[in-house]
Amino acid sequence: MKTKKNKKRKIWPVVLSVFGVLAAAALIAVFLFRTKAIEVEGNTYYSDNTITTWIEKDDLSVNTLYLLAKYHLSDPELPAGVERLSVSLKSPWTLRVQVEEKEMAGYVSFDDAYLYFDGEGTAILRSKKVIEGVPCIEGLAFDTAKVAIGKTLPVEDESIFENIVDVSRGLKKHSLTPDRLSCAESEIRIYFGSVEVMLGDGGYEEKLQQVEPILAKLSELYPDTAGTLHLENYTSDSESIRFVPAG
């Protein structure tokens, strides 16, 4: 009997020590890792405040360890225009957030503002500001009553978004900056001043490669002449390209 009592007496200090350590760890986790600051990096079109507000809408965001676990060990919901949020600790009470935003394919005028969408046609941002480097898309018909951030724009043919992305990438590759881009009737057209360039549907890489030298030649032969450059049927085998002066 004495042996059992002695064992119990030896175990209790150990148990109490374990509980004490756990309680101390819990207190440290609660008070030392209390969120006091969130530093945001890598964002371009989302403001720091927008990202911070998104993170803080979680009631448990007051703890940096919780946020660290949330964004590393789970698949949390993100703002529509954000690809991922990488979270790390700058200090126990300061969270560093690295933002990777989705690439915008274009924007349209919508409800007295600008509605931006990605390559899949998902509406990701409504803003009063024009974001540099994102093309304005004209002629994109969609049901305005069904527009929702985070949802695909309600167009009749969603393949138009793939065409817009292909053209946008080609424009960047060849350092072309049109004044505007139109996709009316599912055909892509780009505008450089008074010159309309009809690209048609598909084969954009070959067509866009011809634009810069042709525009240079047009400015030499037909300075300040408005008109339409027809590339909709152009291929590498084409022997000529048609330019039709306006009116």
Side-chain angles (χ1 to χ4, degrees):
M1 292 293 293
K2 288 184 179 180
T3 302
K4 289 183 179 180
K5 287 182 179 180
N6 288 337
K7 285 183 178 180
K8 288 181 180 179
R9 288 174 182 171
K10 291 179 180 179
I11 290 173
W12 273 112
V14 175
V15 172
L16 291 174
S17 297
V18 170
F19 274 110
V21 170
L22 292 176
L27 289 173
I28 291 173
V30 170
F31 292 104
L32 180 60
F33 291 89
R34 191 170 186 82
T35 307
K36 294 182 180 179
I38 298 177
E39 296 182 0
V40 182
E41 302 172 352
N43 50 315
T44 300
Y45 47 84
Y46 278 116
S47 67
D48 291 1
N49 184 62
T50 299
I51 298 298
T52 300
T53 300
W54 179 273
I55 291 172
E56 289 178 339
K57 73 177 185 177
D58 186 330
D59 292 337
L60 297 178
S61 65
V62 294
N63 187 270
T64 55
L65 285 181
Y66 166 77
L67 290 173
L68 192 66
K70 176 181 177 178
Y71 287 94
H72 277 271
L73 303 179
S74 65
D75 187 21
E77 183 183 2
L78 300 175
V82 173
E83 191 69 39
R84 64 175 55 87
L85 292 178
S86 299
V87 173
S88 60
L89 295 183
K90 182 177 181 180
S91 70
W93 49 85
T94 303
L95 197 72
R96 179 185 284 120
V97 179
Q98 185 70 34
V99 182
E100 183 179 336
E101 296 169 327
K102 293 180 180 178
E103 183 178 358
M104 292 183 178
Y107 71 90
V108 293
S109 295
F110 173 74
D111 195 22
D112 296 324
Y114 303 112
L115 185 66
Y116 293 83
F117 58 90
D118 64 14
E120 296 178 347
T122 302
I124 57 179
L125 180 68
R126 179 182 176 275
S127 174
K128 293 280 189 178
K129 297 180 180 179
V130 173
I131 299 174
E132 186 177 354
V134 181
C136 174
I137 311 298
E138 297 180 349
L140 184 63
F142 56 92
D143 188 344
T144 57
K146 296 181 179 179
V147 170
I149 298 296
K151 303 294 182 181
T152 303
L153 289 178
V155 297
E156 289 186 5
D157 182 8
E158 293 185 7
S159 66
I160 190 62
F161 297 121
E162 184 178 348
N163 291 344
I164 291 172
V165 169
D166 288 345
V167 171
S168 296
R169 287 174 179 167
L171 291 172
K172 289 181 181 179
K173 179 178 179 180
H174 297 290
S175 301
L176 296 169
T177 308
D179 298 312
R180 53 197 176 92
L181 186 155
S182 171
C183 60
E185 299 176 357
S186 299
E187 289 193 358
I188 304 294
R189 307 178 187 195
I190 53 179
Y191 297 82
F192 297 87
S194 58
V195 176
E196 175 189 45
V197 182
M198 298 187 67
L199 297 175
D201 182 12
Y204 301 120
E205 174 60 29
E206 287 183 327
K207 296 172 183 178
L208 290 170
Q209 193 173 3
Q210 308 303 315
V211 171
E212 184 177 12
I214 292 175
L215 289 178
K217 196 67 176 178
L218 286 176
S219 65
E220 178 185 330
L221 298 176
Y222 307 100
D224 303 319
T225 300
T228 300
L229 178 62
H230 290 274
L231 290 175
E232 58 266 54
N233 297 317
Y234 175 84
T235 67
S236 57
D237 297 325
S238 298
E239 296 182 357
S240 63
I241 296 173
R242 188 162 57 102
F243 174 72
V244 180

